[in-house]
Amino acid sequence: LITMHANIFSPAYLMANLIGLLILIAAVVKPNIARIFLITIFIGAAFFNGAIALREPGLFMAYGDMAVFPVYEQFIYGAFEDNITAFVLSIAGCQLITGMLIAARGRLLKTGLAAAIMFLVAIAPLGAGAAFPCTLLLAAACIILLFKANYLSSHPFFYSLHHLLN
């Protein structure tokens, strides 16, 4: 739920999509690097969204104008608008847990990747607000990593981070 302006030619929008594409490519050729970036994205988004939810919750209402499907728009201008902070803090908590699970091994890693896929696909209808199609690029990267989960489980996060930095 990181706020993105509706201008698809804005530097932030273009950068988000470029990064999404690079992470998708990394998932194929350097899965540990893709994993590190996904962990960073989910944990970073959790803290960013949590802070915004507490300080300026009304900023999240911009998603209503960018939503592709009427059901999303109705939800945003309905239940969400009445409980922005609670909804966003819940989402931020799930983002934090997802990032931590992606850093884990075995079934926890697979659970984290599955949660990431569901989340990223679910926010895709927020259109430019979610930097579409970046969310689908990241979901595709997570699907690739899910198929490589056994390899990733043999290389825990800190091992991957050590080799990235060296």
Side-chain angles (χ1 to χ4, degrees):
L1 279 178
I2 295 175
T3 304
M4 183 72 60
H5 296 288
N7 180 355
I8 62 168
F9 297 107
S10 71
Y13 180 87
L14 294 172
M15 184 63 70
N17 279 284
L18 176 62
I19 290 169
L21 181 60
L22 292 174
I23 292 171
L24 176 59
I25 293 168
V28 174
V29 296
K30 295 282 188 183
N32 282 313
I33 291 174
R35 181 183 188 190
I36 289 167
F37 279 105
L38 287 166
I39 292 164
T40 304
I41 287 168
F42 274 91
I43 292 175
F47 285 101
F48 180 83
N49 289 326
I52 298 299
L54 293 171
R55 292 187 182 141
E56 296 286 336
L59 292 177
F60 290 100
M61 291 307 298
Y63 290 113
D65 292 334
M66 293 183 264
V68 175
F69 299 127
V71 67
Y72 276 66
E73 187 177 346
Q74 292 163 1
F75 172 76
I76 291 167
Y77 291 123
F80 182 81
E81 185 173 19
D82 296 334
N83 303 287
I84 299 170
T85 302
F87 273 112
V88 177
L89 288 178
S90 297
I91 292 167
C94 291
Q95 289 173 319
L96 179 62
I97 292 167
T98 299
M100 292 168 52
L101 288 172
I102 295 171
R105 300 166 119 174
R107 286 187 181 178
L108 294 176
L109 168 62
K110 291 177 183 179
T111 301
L113 290 169
I117 293 163
M118 289 186 288
F119 176 76
L120 292 163
V121 170
I123 66 169
L126 294 175
F132 180 85
C134 178
T135 55
L136 297 183
L137 296 171
L138 294 176
C142 290
I143 290 168
I144 292 167
L145 294 182
L146 200 51
F147 282 102
K148 297 181 177 199
N150 290 337
Y151 168 79
L152 292 171
S153 289
S154 65
H155 296 88
F157 170 68
F158 291 110
Y159 172 85
S160 302
L161 187 60
H162 170 77
H163 283 283
L164 176 68
L165 298 175
N166 289 326

